[in-house]
Amino acid sequence: MDMLVKLYDLPQKAEFQKNYDLLSEEGIEIRRAIAPERHIVVDWVKTHFNPHWASEVEAAFSNNPISCFIAIQDGQMKGFACVEATCKAFFGPTGVDETMRGKGIGKLLLIETLHELKHMGYAYGFIGGIGPAEFYEKVVGASLIEGSTPGIYKNMLR
Ligand SMILES: CC(C)(COP(=O)(O)OP(=O)(O)OC[C@H]1O[C@@H](n2cnc3c(N)ncnc32)[C@H](O)[C@@H]1OP(=O)(O)O)[C@@H](O)C(=O)NCCC(=O)NCCS
């Protein structure tokens, strides 16, 4: 299913300052990816997740500015999130290194990228083909869109 997010009600980044500080103490930075990192991010997503997501990351890198954000520590990939990879106003895919989950990385990647959508001028954002609905409900108050399965992924090549 897809989910709907009210971008006009999005929590301010300042509300997550404690999370940013905790990650910073561990040397984890969340930022927009840059073009020379494309092959590294795409390979990492293919290895840790799947080739479909890697293709979506490539699409996000083709946007200007690049609409893929990454979490890095010691120059290594720890997580990523994209917006406008497959459709306008869509969030996703996203993923965090399995050993790094539960530290707030996924939450801050979500907040950063949804603010990116808001700054593009959208009032609402969509979370495409969700995995953990509770995560999106909890962090940004997203709600499920009835009848959105299989949505834009109908008849996708496998
Ligand atoms: C979903 C995912 C990105 C979350 O990343 P994370 O860094 O572990 O999440 P965070 O640590 O930022 O968690 C933020 C909050 O959401 C909650 N949460 C995280 N994953 C959750 C899940 N799967 N279900 C319910 N709640 C979840 C956490 O408990 C936390 O709550 P808190 O703020 O009260 O402590 C990560 O689990 C992941 O990569 N999953 C596999 C890929 C995937 O499913 N991607 C989404 C496809 S739509």
Side-chain angles (χ1 to χ4, degrees):
M1 281 178 93
D2 298 332
M3 295 184 93
L4 185 72
V5 186
K6 294 173 181 166
L7 297 176
Y8 52 83
D9 269 348
L10 201 59
Q12 295 298 313
K13 287 188 202 174
E15 293 178 36
F16 298 94
Q17 196 52 52
K18 207 175 140 195
N19 293 101
Y20 282 104
D21 291 344
L22 283 172
L23 293 193
S24 175
E25 279 167 25
E26 288 196 38
I28 301 166
E29 184 192 359
I30 308 259
R31 63 161 171 81
R32 189 188 302 276
I34 60 171
E37 297 169 324
R38 180 178 180 143
H39 65 291
I40 299 171
V41 181
V42 169
D43 286 351
W44 188 85
V45 171
K46 202 179 282 176
T47 304
H48 287 77
F49 295 98
N50 60 68
H52 286 123
W53 286 12
S55 293
E56 289 183 298
V57 166
E58 294 209 61
F61 267 84
S62 299
N63 289 330
N64 188 8
I66 290 167
S67 59
C68 177
F69 283 67
I70 54 175
I72 67 167
Q73 185 185 43
D74 298 327
Q76 301 298 311
M77 277 290 290
K78 298 297 171 188
F80 78 103
C82 301
V83 284
E84 300 226 319
T86 297
C87 280
K88 293 282 187 194
F90 260 56
F91 167 91
T94 188
V96 172
D97 184 311
E98 217 168 330
T99 64
M100 300 293 281
R101 292 181 191 163
K103 291 174 177 283
I105 296 175
K107 174 158 62 179
L108 296 189
L109 283 165
L110 178 65
I111 289 297
E112 285 287 341
T113 46
L114 288 181
H115 271 279
E116 177 78 1
L117 275 189
K118 184 178 177 176
H119 290 146
M120 288 175 186
Y122 297 111
Y124 296 91
F126 303 96
I127 297 170
I130 50 129
E134 280 172 37
F135 167 69
Y136 298 110
E137 269 169 35
K138 191 175 201 174
V139 182
V140 291
S143 50
L144 289 167
I145 301 174
E146 290 301 326
S148 58
T149 307
I152 58 161
Y153 307 100
K154 190 176 176 185
N155 287 340
M156 190 174 75
L157 290 172
R158 277 171 282 154

